[in-house]
Amino acid sequence: MSADPIQAPAPPDPAESGIQVLDRVVGLLGLLGEASEGGAQLSRLAAGLGLSASTAHRLLAALEHHGWVERVEGGRRYRLGTALIGLAGQAAEGTGLRRLCRPALTRLTGESGETTFLIVRSGLNAVVVDRQEGAYVIESLTHGVGGLIPLGVGAGSAAILASQPPAEIEEVLAANGVRYPQFGTSGVQVRRRVQQIQQDGYLLSEDSLISGLAVLSVAIRPAGHNVTAAIAMNFIASRHDQAARHAFLGLARQEAARIEAALALPGSLPRPSSIGVP
Amino acid sequence: MSADPIQAPAPPDPAESGIQVLDRVVGLLGLLGEASEGGAQLSRLAAGLGLSASTAHRLLAALEHHGWVERVEGGRRYRLGTALIGLAGQAAEGTGLRRLCRPALTRLTGESGETTFLIVRSGLNAVVVDRQEGAYVIESLTHGVGGLIPLGVGAGSAAILASQPPAEIEEVLAANGVRYPQFGTSGVQVRRRVQQIQQDGYLLSEDSLISGLAVLSVAIRPAGHNVTAAIAMNFIASRHDQAARHAFLGLARQEAARIEAALALPGSLPRPSSIGVP
DNA sequence: GTAGTTTTTCCGTATTATGGAATTGTCGCG
DNA sequence: CGCGACAATTCCATAATACGGAAAAACTAC
């Protein structure tokens, strides 16, 4: 017999890691993240992952014990816990990138009065690591720190994608293809934009997903490291003329260059201080 | 024999949850969070938790697979991964509190030019859920979004503690007692401050941990819910006189009241929109 | 070039998580 | 107000899972 009739040759599910408890926990947290507002109920979660109710319950209880999951006021529904926020803070600080870039973001927001973002790659997504609010809050910009965006969608995210090696770009495009339509774009569009960025070294676009909103982004590509991050700005198109926008672009490129230079020096990342507590 | 000589009666470690893989993962991530900058190496992590090297390796590999852990450039050291940042963003948005409070923070920062924080309880800690940067960046304020502070230390954190039921307060004070000295304070001081807040309903202090830095905080105590959050402001004392500080306090109390009112209405939390992507 | 340390892989074992079944709790409807 | 249906929780025997010792490989230091 050429094929073993009983033992299927272990189909390697890309979502599995070798430790199922972890896979399941990750799955649960993922579902909880999607579940909006009122939280998710046990049975849905269990069904969503193909778990028995008892297993789901046991895992959730353990997660709750660690503060990774909370029960919504009423008592019966689950939601992501605040302990995760703390972990993430440490993760964001971990590379030191946020600390290094914050002054740049502050300066950019100060000069322009617009909202600036620091964005980093995370697998197939880009994640907002820091954000400085501009003078005018743009209502539709709901992506705060921790916001996830498919790699390629949006200015900063596209800039990061554009600075990946070609093979990597193709992989991402293939993997994210199905998600693009949900975000009002397409693989073709993303590819075009990426090429544009590779050519120019930046993105400055008047016609973002939201009409009247201009976007701008510059990738941060330090020499030695492979941190691929980007600085992005979103602003109301009508508030500035083309000259002003190009001025902002210049500032952003300057800040990016400064950060790249700082990263080139070993030990450049400033150390944290533990006092000064709100 | 009165005591069983072999089977110790399962000493219930408060850090254990019933699922050891999870406990160990939490432990690993905790250590990784403390490990600064260059990351942590496998052997230290394993030793820190009393694990065999192989177990630690297997767990870390699985975590890396999920993006919860990354390997620092060189290749051999570990650090927290960006996927956690994404999770946290969802956690922070989960309650809807951040979305609800952001306009308030923006207004407060706009009026005062100072940095404002939204802080929420997380177990024995308070965690910074949102932060709006003031016009002047105060260098020593390193606590960005996700920053962890022992409950009772710092203005916002103390305000949250003060709004807990008395028994709870005692528990927290007992548990956190040993940590206070590390943060330049003491259980006695914290208790005094908490009583002050309970009496006044707010905290306005000129003598924070950092000289020349004034702090201000107001708890958010919605009627039905038990969300205990706080708004805090840190500002340079010399930039304002006492009258101005009291004006800011008034604004903050007003915003807190507005938020409490909004929380009282069911369905008050605004829904997220998925467009508007940096 | 060699000795020592750290990381990674392998694999038999027993500890651990599993899920079916039973119990308790909660909600909706007659 | 009480019954029926559904969801959550607890219990427990089972086997699948994660464990860690040992050996190999990779890397560092000397």
Side-chain angles (χ1 to χ4, degrees):
Chain A
M1 309 141 192
S2 57
D4 187 330
I6 288 182
Q7 278 288 63
D13 186 331
E16 295 191 357
S17 66
I19 288 176
Q20 314 154 312
V21 184
L22 227 201
D23 298 337
R24 289 170 170 186
V25 163
V26 171
L28 281 175
L29 294 179
L31 285 181
L32 282 168
E34 291 168 19
S36 52
E37 287 313 317
Q41 57 183 343
L42 176 58
S43 53
R44 312 290 173 189
L45 294 171
L49 296 173
L51 300 178
S52 68
S54 47
T55 299
H57 180 260
R58 196 154 19 79
L59 291 175
L60 286 168
L63 287 169
E64 189 182 3
H65 180 88
H66 287 292
W68 287 21
V69 155
E70 293 171 351
R71 320 196 64 142
V72 76
E73 285 65 41
R76 131 158 42 293
R77 302 173 89 92
Y78 295 90
R79 140 197 346 144
L80 294 177
T82 45
L84 288 172
I85 305 179
L87 253 190
Q90 298 174 310
E93 223 55 86
T95 70
L97 194 64
R98 182 160 79 172
R99 222 173 317 124
L100 180 67
C101 296
R102 173 154 291 160
L105 293 191
T106 307
R107 278 193 293 268
L108 284 172
T109 296
E111 292 286 333
S112 66
E114 302 291 350
T115 304
T116 55
F117 301 84
L118 173 63
I119 300 172
V120 168
R121 178 177 179 181
S122 173
L124 290 173
N125 296 300
V127 59
V128 178
V129 168
D130 204 2
R131 155 175 171 149
Q132 290 303 324
E133 203 69 50
Y136 303 85
V137 179
I138 303 172
E139 262 306 324
S140 43
L141 292 178
T142 55
H143 279 273
V145 173
L148 282 174
I149 313 144
L151 217 48
V153 176
S157 182
I160 291 173
L161 181 57
S163 64
Q164 306 294 322
E168 190 93 10
I169 294 180
E170 289 309 318
E171 273 183 47
V172 171
L173 283 171
N176 274 348
V178 291
R179 303 168 67 198
Y180 290 142
Q182 303 167 22
F183 286 79
T185 183
S186 69
V188 179
Q189 253 182 323
V190 170
R191 181 173 267 118
R192 197 181 315 137
R193 237 184 176 187
V194 162
Q195 286 166 348
Q196 183 73 39
I197 296 173
Q198 288 175 326
Q199 192 181 311
D200 298 345
Y202 62 86
L203 175 68
L204 177 57
S205 158
E206 326 281 315
D207 63 324
S208 71
L209 291 174
I210 303 175
S211 66
L213 197 67
V215 296
L216 174 166
S217 71
V218 189
I220 297 171
R221 279 180 290 188
H225 313 233
N226 63 348
V227 197
T228 34
I231 289 178
M233 300 178 65
N234 288 11
F235 42 98
I236 299 173
S238 57
R239 286 191 58 224
H240 310 279
D241 60 12
Q242 189 156 357
R245 281 195 284 272
H246 276 90
F248 296 156
L249 174 61
L251 287 175
R253 298 186 77 177
Q254 197 175 317
E255 293 289 359
R258 204 182 300 196
I259 292 165
E260 284 165 7
L263 284 170
L265 282 69
S268 55
L269 299 172
R271 68 264 164 262
S273 90
S274 61
I275 51 171
V277 162
Chain B
M1 310 141 190
S2 58
D4 187 327
I6 288 184
Q7 278 290 63
D13 185 332
E16 294 191 358
S17 66
I19 288 175
Q20 300 131 328
V21 183
L22 228 201
D23 298 337
R24 289 166 170 190
V25 162
V26 171
L28 280 175
L29 294 179
L31 285 182
L32 282 168
E34 292 168 19
S36 53
E37 287 313 316
Q41 57 183 342
L42 177 57
S43 53
R44 314 287 173 191
L45 294 172
L49 296 174
L51 300 178
S52 69
S54 47
T55 299
H57 181 260
R58 197 157 15 82
L59 291 175
L60 285 168
L63 287 169
E64 189 183 3
H65 180 88
H66 287 292
W68 287 21
V69 155
E70 293 171 351
R71 319 196 64 146
V72 77
E73 285 67 41
R76 128 160 39 294
R77 299 174 90 94
Y78 295 90
R79 91 158 76 101
L80 294 177
T82 45
L84 288 173
I85 305 179
L87 255 190
Q90 296 173 309
E93 222 57 82
T95 70
L97 193 64
R98 184 160 77 171
R99 223 173 318 123
L100 180 69
C101 296
R102 173 155 292 163
L105 293 191
T106 308
R107 276 194 294 268
L108 284 172
T109 296
E111 292 286 336
S112 66
E114 303 291 351
T115 305
T116 53
F117 300 85
L118 173 64
I119 300 173
V120 168
R121 178 178 180 181
S122 173
L124 290 173
N125 296 301
V127 59
V128 177
V129 168
D130 204 1
R131 155 177 171 147
Q132 289 304 324
E133 203 67 51
Y136 303 85
V137 179
I138 303 172
E139 261 308 324
S140 43
L141 292 178
T142 57
H143 279 272
V145 173
L148 282 174
I149 312 144
L151 217 49
V153 177
S157 182
I160 291 174
L161 181 57
S163 63
Q164 306 294 322
E168 190 93 12
I169 293 180
E170 290 308 318
E171 273 183 48
V172 171
L173 283 171
N176 274 349
V178 292
R179 303 169 65 200
Y180 289 143
Q182 301 166 25
F183 285 79
T185 182
S186 68
V188 179
Q189 253 182 321
V190 170
R191 179 173 268 118
R192 197 181 316 139
R193 238 185 176 186
V194 162
Q195 286 167 348
Q196 183 72 38
I197 296 173
Q198 288 175 328
Q199 191 180 312
D200 299 344
Y202 62 84
L203 174 68
L204 177 56
S205 158
E206 327 280 318
D207 62 327
S208 71
L209 291 174
I210 303 176
S211 67
L213 197 68
V215 296
L216 175 168
S217 73
V218 189
I220 297 171
R221 280 181 289 189
H225 314 233
N226 63 348
V227 198
T228 33
I231 290 177
M233 299 178 65
N234 288 11
F235 41 97
I236 298 173
S238 57
R239 286 191 58 224
H240 311 279
D241 61 11
Q242 189 155 355
R245 281 195 284 271
H246 275 91
F248 295 155
L249 174 61
L251 286 176
R253 297 186 78 175
Q254 196 175 315
E255 293 291 357
R258 204 181 300 194
I259 291 166
E260 284 166 6
L263 283 169
L265 282 68
S268 56
L269 298 172
R271 67 267 162 261
S273 90
S274 61
I275 51 169
V277 162

